């Protein structure tokens, strides 16, 4: 069995996520966005807009500045990618649709109230589906009131039309045809959005799960069974069976990672670079850190998003992004894009115990400038909270404009 030091494991993991190469120079093209998503397998959707919705940030971390319309076009116009529940709500290639079909066909375990409502109002559920079929793409607000069904119902989150549309979406009958200005979904029949060769393809559950584990292993490089299960939110007991099958096929190799209590599995095609030269701010929903237990094992980085923590109890801030430098997470910054004043606000900046602030401040300031320019902001304002804040303020030149 092969042994990996923790630094080797970090480099394998970051290479699998696309951080083993410099960001592209020149304008980003659709092919580069397409390749990046397929390399990751999916993008988790999150529309918290403190900085920019998370799925756009994940691409920026790897590609640098790009036109976000490129992603929207690939998803909602070219229909090369689609929305579905995978690792939470996600964007994923349309060819992954059959891999999730067995989950779509199950009753939605996330909402017993909604399931109960659908059982009690089957005619209304059929009517909603018929409206989309006959009228084309619709949002919840486009569905009129009905005499027999209240606009809102006890135990159903949001409006009844939205809840029923979401239920049909979860079951794979509807897909996301687009997003409105308020980011709410516009729904259409999934069979009109997913190419027939993928929509009608049926796979045995074991084969679909095996491919999902294979995709997760490729995206992670090296991982435990729990890590792999979490990528597409698969039960660990099922993931363990699929990992054993991939071991037999020599697509995975069991390895020991320094400091990890559980066995790890190395993807057959994983790159093992000697050095990682990354410099990137990571979304809280980036695959590098979205499974907090893995982030702690891999980077010795304890991470919790504190959006829902009362302000007085927050340790780090409202919307905190980890900073990746080389193969380590070396700091974290609380960020907010003030679009009215056209400033990138940094209320707090903290350094990790193992890191040297003198080496970090300049690199982080450069990344903040790149982010601010991409967001079309004119400058950076660094607050006074955190042990990295004074050095970062000097490095960022927070009073200076980013553009002449």
């Amino acid at each position: 069995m092969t042994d990996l030091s923790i630094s080797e494991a970090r480099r394998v993991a970051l290479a699998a996520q696309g951080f083993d190469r410099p960001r592209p120079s020149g304008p980003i093209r659709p092919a580069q966005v397409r390749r990046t998503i397929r390399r990751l397998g999916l993008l988790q959707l999150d529309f918290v807009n403190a900085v920019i919705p998370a799925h756009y940030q994940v691409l920026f971390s790897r590609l640098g500045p790009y036109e976000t319309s490129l992603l929207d076009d690939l998803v909602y116009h070219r229909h090369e990618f689609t929305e579905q529940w995978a690792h939470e709500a996600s964007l994923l290639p349309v060819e992954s649709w059959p891999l999730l079909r067995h989950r779509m066909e199950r009753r939605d375990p996330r909402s017993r109230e909604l399931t109960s409502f659908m059982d009690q109002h089957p005619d209304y559920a059929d009517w909603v589906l018929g409206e989309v079929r006959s009228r084309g793409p619709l949002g919840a607000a486009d569905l009129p009131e009905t005499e027999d069904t209240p606009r809102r119902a006890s135990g159903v989150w949001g409006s009844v039309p939205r809840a029923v549309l979401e239920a049909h979406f979860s079951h794979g009958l509807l897909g996301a045809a687009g997003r409105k200005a308020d980011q709410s979904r516009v729904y259409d029949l999934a069979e009109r959005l997913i190419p027939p060769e993928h929509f009608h393809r049926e796979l045995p559950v074991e084969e679909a799960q095996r491919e999902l584990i294979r995709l997760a292993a490729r995206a992670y490089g090296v991982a435990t069974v729990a890590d792999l299960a979490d990528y597409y939110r698969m039960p660990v007991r099922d993931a363990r069976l699929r990992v054993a099958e991939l071991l037999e096929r020599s697509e995975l190799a069991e390895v020991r990672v320094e400091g990890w209590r559980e066995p790890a599995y190395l993807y057959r095609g994983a790159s093992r670079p000697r050095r990682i030269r990354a410099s990137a701010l990571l979304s809280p929903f980036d695959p590098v850190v979205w499974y907090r237990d893995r982030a702690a094992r891999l980077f010795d980085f304890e991470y919790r998003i504190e959006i829902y923590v009362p302000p007085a109890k927050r340790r780090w801030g409202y919307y905190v992004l980890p900073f990746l430098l080389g193969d380590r997470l070396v700091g974290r910054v609380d960020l907010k894009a003030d679009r009215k004043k056209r400033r990138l606000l940094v209320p707090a900046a903290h350094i990790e115990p193992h890191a040297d602030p003198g080496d970090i401040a300049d690199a982080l300031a450069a990344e903040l400038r790149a982010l601010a320019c991409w967001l079309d902001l004119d400058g950076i304002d660094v607050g006074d909270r955190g042990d990295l804040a004074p050095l970062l303020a000097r490095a960022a030149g927070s009073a200076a404009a980013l553009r002449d």
Side-chain angles (χ1 to χ4, degrees):
M1 185 185 300
T2 302
D3 290 329
L4 293 181
S5 70
I6 192 63
S7 60
E8 287 175 318
R10 283 196 298 266
R11 293 196 298 272
V12 168
L14 289 168
Q17 285 285 310
F19 288 108
D20 59 338
R21 62 200 66 193
R23 287 169 173 165
S25 59
I28 299 300
R29 301 183 181 279
Q32 293 164 299
V33 175
R34 184 185 296 119
R35 283 196 300 270
T36 301
I37 305 173
R38 287 206 162 92
R39 180 176 192 142
L40 302 179
L42 52 78
L43 297 176
Q44 182 177 342
L45 286 164
D46 189 88
F47 287 94
V48 173
N49 205 27
V51 180
I52 191 170
H55 41 291
Y56 298 120
Q57 173 76 36
V58 170
L59 293 176
F60 174 82
S61 297
R62 292 152 177 80
L63 298 174
Y66 72 101
E67 294 291 334
T68 58
S69 60
L70 291 177
L71 177 58
D72 297 336
D73 183 63
L74 288 171
V75 177
Y76 303 117
H77 296 99
R78 300 192 190 192
H79 300 299
E80 296 182 30
F81 299 88
T82 191
E83 294 189 27
Q84 191 45 251
W85 290 94
H87 181 97
E88 300 299 324
S90 303
L91 297 174
L92 64 161
V94 291
E95 57 266 29
S96 294
W97 186 269
L99 305 180
L100 301 171
R101 184 184 300 279
H102 63 284
R103 285 158 51 165
M104 299 177 205
E105 292 174 348
R106 293 200 308 251
R107 306 197 92 188
D108 191 348
R110 291 165 299 162
S111 177
R112 294 179 182 177
E113 294 87 355
L114 179 56
T115 299
S116 175
F117 179 88
M118 297 281 281
D119 288 343
Q120 294 170 21
H121 300 86
D123 292 343
Y124 179 75
D126 290 343
W127 175 81
V128 167
L129 204 58
E131 287 292 289
V132 176
R133 180 175 288 108
S134 61
R135 295 170 58 190
L138 296 175
D142 300 318
L143 291 172
E145 303 279 354
T146 66
E147 295 181 1
D148 299 330
T149 307
R151 190 73 187 177
R152 295 189 177 274
S154 175
V156 174
W157 185 80
S159 71
V160 167
R162 180 189 181 279
V164 173
L165 287 165
E166 276 294 300
H168 287 316
F169 171 81
S170 296
H171 295 154
L173 298 175
L174 296 179
R179 291 272 178 172
K180 293 189 174 184
D182 64 358
Q183 302 302 343
S184 62
R185 279 194 185 99
V186 177
Y187 305 82
D188 198 1
L189 296 180
E191 63 192 87
R192 294 201 284 235
L193 301 173
I194 306 299
E197 64 270 26
H198 303 307
F199 183 78
H200 294 294
R201 186 184 179 202
E202 296 190 11
L203 295 173
V205 172
E206 294 80 6
E207 184 178 341
Q209 289 181 333
R210 191 161 49 245
E211 180 60 19
L212 291 173
I213 292 295
R214 186 182 288 115
L215 291 171
R218 185 185 69 182
Y220 263 162
V222 61
T224 66
V225 168
D227 297 338
L228 296 172
D230 179 74
Y231 210 88
Y232 287 94
R233 296 293 165 87
M234 186 185 300
V236 172
R237 63 182 181 276
D238 292 341
R240 198 176 302 280
L241 293 172
R242 306 292 84 83
V243 165
E245 293 164 358
L246 293 176
L247 276 170
E248 289 181 5
R249 299 175 180 211
S250 298
E251 295 186 46
L252 298 178
E254 187 173 348
V255 297
R256 284 187 295 259
V257 175
E258 176 189 0
W260 290 16
R261 289 179 294 180
E262 297 294 324
Y265 301 92
L266 182 70
Y267 181 64
R268 179 175 59 188
S271 174
R272 299 174 66 173
R274 294 184 177 181
R275 186 173 180 182
I276 295 288
R277 294 181 171 85
S279 180
L281 285 161
L282 303 180
S283 159
F285 306 101
D286 192 293
V288 173
V289 295
W290 67 19
Y291 187 34
R292 310 308 191 207
D293 180 72
R294 176 180 168 83
R297 278 185 282 109
L298 198 55
F299 298 100
D300 192 22
F301 191 80
E302 298 293 336
Y303 188 38
R304 178 189 181 191
I305 189 165
E306 298 179 305
I307 289 174
Y308 302 111
V309 175
K313 295 184 178 181
R314 289 176 190 149
R315 182 180 180 188
W316 308 110
Y318 175 77
Y319 196 73
V320 175
L321 277 66
F323 180 50
L324 173 68
L325 187 64
D327 66 358
R328 301 298 302 271
L329 296 177
V330 296
R332 59 189 90 200
V333 288
D334 188 17
L335 292 184
K336 179 176 175 58
D338 187 334
R339 291 171 176 83
K340 289 185 179 179
K341 295 182 179 179
R342 300 178 65 85
R343 311 291 291 182
L344 181 61
L345 307 183
V346 190
H350 299 267
I351 191 168
E352 291 302 292
H354 62 79
D356 181 346
D359 294 338
I360 294 166
D362 287 341
L364 178 53
E367 184 66 10
L368 289 169
R369 289 190 197 102
L371 178 63
C373 285
W374 179 53
L375 298 174
D376 198 27
L377 304 175
D378 292 334
I380 304 167
D381 294 329
V382 180
D384 58 4
R385 289 179 45 233
D387 49 9
L388 186 57
L391 271 179
L392 180 61
R394 287 196 291 273
S398 59
L402 295 179
R403 300 175 178 84
D404 295 332

